Amino acid sequence: MPSLTFVLPHWLYWSVLAVFPLVAIYLVRRQAGRADGRPNYFLAYLFLVTAGLVGMHRFYLKNAWGFLFIPVFLAIIWTNGHVRDAREGVSHTRADFESSERQVNRAKADVGRQQEGAEARLKQAEGEAAQANTGYLAAQADKAQADLYARIAAIVLGLMLLGDAILLPGLVRRARERETSPPPELAAHPMETAVPDSRAPAPNVPGIGFIDNLSRVIGEFTAYWAVLAVFAYYYEVIGRFVFNSPTNWVHESMFLMFGMQYMLAGAYAYRDETHVRVDIIYNQFSARGRAICDLITSVFFFLFTGVMVWSGWRFASDAVALRESSFTEWGIQYWPVKLTIPIGAALLLLQGVSRLVRDIRVVARKGG
Amino acid sequence: MGLDLPILWLSVLMFGGLGVLLMLGLPMAFCTGSLAILFLFLFGDVAMLNMLPARVFPFMTDYQLSAVPLFIFMAAILEKAGVIEELFDVVYKWLGGIRGGLASATVISCTLLAAMVGVVGATEVTMGMIALPAMLKRKYEPKLACGALLAGGTLGILIPPSVMAIVYAVVAQQSLGELLVGSVFPGLLLSGMYVLYVTVRCYINPSLGPALPIEERVDFVEKLRLLRRTIMPILLILLVLGVIFLGVATPVEAAGIGTFGAFIVCAAHRRLTWATINEAGIATLKATAMVMWIFFGATMFVGFFILKGGQTFVADSILGTGLPPYGVLVLMMVILFVLGMFLDWVGILLLTVPIFLPILIGLEFPGVFDLEGVDPADVPLWYGVIFMVNMQMAFLSPPFGYSLFYLKSVAPPQISMAMIFRSAVPFLCLQGIGVALCIIFPEIVVWLPKVVYSGQ
């Protein structure tokens, strides 16, 4: 198997983070209303490229020939293990052989100096060297064989994938003809209606809508990052097991991405009331009572977010000034990640302002 | 400002303040965070406020925590794929012929789903929407039906993959793999107890859960044919758990591959569209943000409390009662149960684990009733799993149990909140027994991790 040496360049990391959500948002819009989930070329080729090794593109099209891929894939995993073992075997036996060579040389020198029993030792060392040599040669042969098998398996799989890349359009077309009806509708978004809803009634206050929109846009933008993680981890695992080449950037890039996501998503979750409250008593109040409670607790809320913005900014500005980057091999820039702390807190603060304005409105309207 | 106050009064102020703010409806994350800042300012100095981001940042760069959004994302995608409906359909056709079969099928489907998802919400709600009407239509006793749903759905957070295990692993600095493996048997134990309870009750009193009428049952050939539809979910379970158990990849990578598998399952169900991804992504984002912001707030709160000697204070008060180690553990379980009535698991975990765990590590657990005890090195693992089993009760214990609300939000109108409360009681008792069993027989927890990880 060839090895993968791709290291994600820093500029590409940041641009993927910036561009992928935009592409996804565009595709959601474009597909709205006319997607039926039937087999399509995009997914078929996506699965061919990513999981074609185990025949997933065929399974996607409900085509049982996909099972043919599995033994070939297992063969690759097995031969890879074999190659690894053989490589180790070669280096071990080579070390043995070299050390026995040294023994022979030393014994020869001893013979030259006419030491006692040197002849016998030379004979023994030569015997051992010959043995080590045979072992070394055998290990080399073993490695050559393992390499051959691995290459054959890789070529077979490669040919199968190539063949399917050509056959795929026809397969997709036939699958589409077979499946004319879309799948039955599922119950509507249970996960979103599930959380006990204690949302304050939201009177329209001019000028506040933009805050809600800002939280929503940033939230939805970062939500798409999760998709990137799926492919990144998949790449890492496949790289390690199929190509014998782990990466040094997948883990770091992904946990930093999620770190930024947690921070930036706080405001969106607050807007949609998904932060857990203990609303045993809170829920018993009228809308006005709840608004009054909110007004009281908002002091604490603003204390928290305000201090987070302020201290987060001091924390991040040091990093920005130093253009801080991580100490790992990949060495990605750290300062944008730290910068999300004050930004996320500021978004949350803004969202709190939006809520505060509404609460004041509720209290004032009912009271006046 | 540098005020000073004895730790007793400080504790009262901190936790009292937390209680008041929570009652006023401020979200947990902001209650803890703002109180931490207030107290830091009053009892420390302004310079200490600069430490806050330095406490938050490690969680943003924590490798293990990235499994949280991934497992939630996987659950969301599978839910959109319709796997929940499909599994229930197959399992209930298999079990329809026996008494209480639908209720057992509910628990078993939930158990299978729990092996794919690490959260409670999705399973609970979807099962509530499909299984509850199915049971009520066939004249199941509503309380039994609701109870089976509540208890079964809650397994999602216990049986691996489990988001709770990830959070515990990060807070307690434990091996995530061991925790996940360790929670397998307790999860199956609870699931088995639920099925047993339902079946026994229905056999004693068949009117609670009658078997399906003959004409609705399916023959064996049909049953085998139905099994074909479970192949993909089962492969997915084997993939995720296999990866974790064999240790071929880290749990985080397992989450990544599992989500990839979920994409394929979703595509094979012909439901993978950009709109699906959008909805799943947003649901994930909200759930993750909720967990993580509690993380941020609570870590400041507990950090300050421990800094002021709160941990020693709690340890001294608990050990000062003169209770034996097992008494201390039981006391903690009671505290957790009481907290569980009001708080959700994330808050409880973050507030109690940093305080309780060091106390337990200092104690010895030589076993009760002449049974084998716990190796001191295994105590964090053991306590973690007991904690997770205990938190099952937090989901079910009124007045603030998440599962109760989830079920209420989808139950037909004739099911009142009071009825849901009452239906949870027998299952709460079963969970209590589960906790007791894990304490008395620690092997339930520690045996499997030992077997799986001994070679490494």
Side-chain angles (χ1 to χ4, degrees), chain B residues 89-109:
Chain B
D89 193 48
V90 175
V91 180
Y92 106 79
K93 281 187 178 141
W94 266 80
L95 297 180
I98 59 172
R99 285 181 193 161
L102 277 179
S104 305
T106 306
V107 175
I108 292 172
S109 325

Side-chain angles (χ1 to χ4, degrees), chain A residues 315-351:
Chain A
F315 183 67
S317 59
D318 290 346
V320 173
L322 293 170
R323 290 280 181 275
E324 187 184 349
S325 52
S326 78
F327 291 114
T328 55
E329 204 180 333
W330 193 40
I332 187 72
Q333 292 86 350
Y334 248 23
W335 58 270
V337 185
K338 289 193 171 172
L339 208 51
T340 57
I341 297 180
I343 295 176
L347 284 171
L348 193 58
L349 186 104
L350 276 179
Q351 195 59 49

Side-chain angles (χ1 to χ4, degrees), chain B residues 131-305:
Chain B
L132 190 56
M135 285 191 271
L136 294 179
K137 205 176 97 192
R138 293 180 178 84
K139 304 274 184 294
Y140 271 58
E141 207 246 347
K143 274 198 307 212
L144 190 74
C146 289
L149 263 169
L150 288 169
T154 313
L155 287 172
I157 199 98
L158 177 63
I159 293 179
S162 136
V163 170
M164 184 150 42
I166 304 169
V167 175
Y168 181 87
V170 171
V171 173
Q173 305 282 315
Q174 276 300 299
S175 147
L176 175 54
E178 283 187 16
L179 267 171
L180 291 173
V181 174
S183 55
V184 170
F185 277 138
L188 294 179
L189 175 78
L190 282 185
S191 165
M193 287 201 303
Y194 301 153
V195 172
L196 193 69
Y197 170 78
V198 165
T199 316
V200 167
R201 279 205 63 189
C202 290
Y203 269 85
I204 294 172
N205 182 358
S207 69
L208 290 177
L212 283 186
I214 304 289
E215 63 274 13
E216 274 191 56
R217 295 183 198 171
V218 294
D219 59 22
F220 192 68
V221 181
E222 175 68 15
K223 279 182 182 171
L224 283 185
R225 222 176 51 79
L226 279 171
L227 272 192
R228 249 182 45 192
R229 288 165 50 190
T230 63
I231 291 175
M232 274 202 142
I234 290 193
L235 278 181
L236 193 60
I237 295 176
L238 290 180
L239 177 74
V240 175
L241 297 189
V243 164
I244 295 174
F245 276 39
L246 299 176
V248 290
T250 64
V252 179
E253 288 165 346
I257 309 173
T259 315
F260 189 82
F263 270 75
I264 293 177
V265 171
C266 194
H269 283 79
R270 305 297 181 241
R271 290 201 176 94
L272 187 63
T273 62
W274 279 102
T276 312
I277 293 178
N278 176 26
E279 285 163 18
I282 286 175
T284 309
L285 184 79
K286 289 182 194 165
T288 320
M290 187 274 278
V291 174
M292 292 311 302
W293 277 82
I294 297 185
F295 236 108
F296 298 155
T299 180
M300 296 177 193
F301 188 82
V302 174
F304 174 75
F305 186 63

Side-chain angles (χ1 to χ4, degrees), chain A residues 72-252:
Chain A
V72 183
F73 176 73
L74 291 179
I76 285 192
I77 295 284
W78 183 77
T79 52
N80 269 351
H82 195 176
V83 167
R84 255 196 308 268
D85 292 346
R87 216 179 278 162
E88 258 174 46
V90 168
S91 65
H92 272 259
T93 48
R94 186 198 292 138
D96 286 350
F97 176 59
E98 281 167 2
S99 83
S100 64
E101 289 272 76
R102 275 195 298 278
Q103 292 292 338
V104 169
N105 287 340
R106 207 173 298 155
K108 269 185 190 152
D110 288 350
V111 170
R113 268 179 260 133
Q114 308 216 322
Q115 274 185 14
E116 210 174 312
E119 291 281 348
R121 251 182 293 143
L122 178 60
K123 203 150 269 170
Q124 193 193 349
E126 274 172 345
E128 274 167 18
Q131 210 174 355
N133 194 23
T134 345
Y136 181 40
L137 291 176
Q140 271 181 326
D142 187 41
K143 179 169 180 297
Q145 196 191 24
D147 279 341
L148 179 69
Y149 286 156
R151 205 165 300 135
I152 291 175
I155 288 171
V156 168
L157 192 68
L159 286 178
M160 284 165 79
L161 286 175
L162 206 64
D164 266 5
I166 298 164
L167 291 178
L168 212 50
L171 289 170
V172 172
R173 215 175 312 121
R174 254 173 289 146
R176 285 182 76 91
E177 280 161 15
R178 220 173 34 236
E179 300 169 27
T180 43
S181 62
E185 282 286 316
L186 288 178
H189 330 311
M191 246 167 103
E192 266 139 80
T193 56
V195 180
D197 192 5
S198 55
R199 194 178 314 197
N204 263 330
V205 181
I208 284 300
F210 92 93
I211 295 180
D212 292 4
N213 280 332
L214 183 69
S215 302
R216 186 180 58 81
V217 168
I218 290 185
E220 291 193 5
F221 186 87
T222 55
Y224 289 107
W225 286 350
V227 182
L228 294 174
V230 175
F231 290 97
Y233 282 117
Y234 185 75
Y235 177 85
E236 162 79 20
V237 174
I238 291 289
R240 200 160 69 222
F241 284 97
V242 182
F243 298 95
N244 272 337
S245 34
T247 71
N248 61 358
W249 53 271
V250 166
H251 288 153
E252 190 176 12

